[in-house]
Amino acid sequence: KFQNAAKENLNLQDSEKAKETMEKLGREFDTMLNWLKEKVLSAGVEKAILSTRLVESPCAVVATQYGYSGNMERIMKSQAYAKAGGADSGVGNQKKILE
């Protein structure tokens, strides 16, 4: 099954051990994730979640499952600028997900 790596819900590990580890880490980091979402990044982030995709990077910002990917957002912005003479017509105002 193909999955877009730039969107949320990327499942790379489906084993029971991986699920148990993520549940344990989720309980451990729940306070920090809520603080990031509600206090620090509330203007641009829809939610903050733990990631199974990251190994060496501390975090990643990804699109929602049904939102525009980063590349599509860039294309839509460039078309909006060309048509409206530089005015941003609401393209790219979607909140992202911090993993």
Side-chain angles (χ1 to χ4, degrees):
K1 174 178 162 181
F2 286 111
Q3 295 181 4
N4 188 349
K7 299 208 175 191
E8 71 175 320
N9 295 334
L10 178 68
N11 295 324
L12 298 175
Q13 300 175 357
D14 290 334
S15 69
E16 287 297 319
K17 185 177 178 183
K19 289 179 185 177
E20 290 174 10
T21 304
M22 286 305 294
E23 287 177 14
K24 179 182 170 190
L25 289 173
R27 289 189 301 270
E28 186 176 331
F29 289 104
D30 187 45
T31 306
M32 183 187 73
L33 293 173
N34 286 332
W35 176 74
L36 279 170
K37 178 191 174 264
E38 295 170 2
K39 304 283 186 202
V40 180
L41 303 170
S42 61
V45 172
E46 181 178 326
K47 62 183 173 179
I49 59 173
L50 288 178
S51 176
T52 57
R53 75 174 88 202
L54 301 175
V55 177
E56 296 179 8
S57 300
C59 65
V61 177
V62 296
T64 59
Q65 187 171 3
Y66 298 108
Y68 291 136
S69 66
N71 191 40
M72 181 55 112
E73 195 172 298
R74 180 184 59 82
I75 292 168
M76 296 291 284
K77 275 186 180 180
S78 68
Q79 289 179 350
Y81 282 126
K83 287 181 182 175
D88 189 17
S89 61
V91 176
N93 292 336
Q94 297 179 352
K95 288 191 172 185
K96 302 293 183 183
I97 297 179
L98 179 73
E99 289 191 355

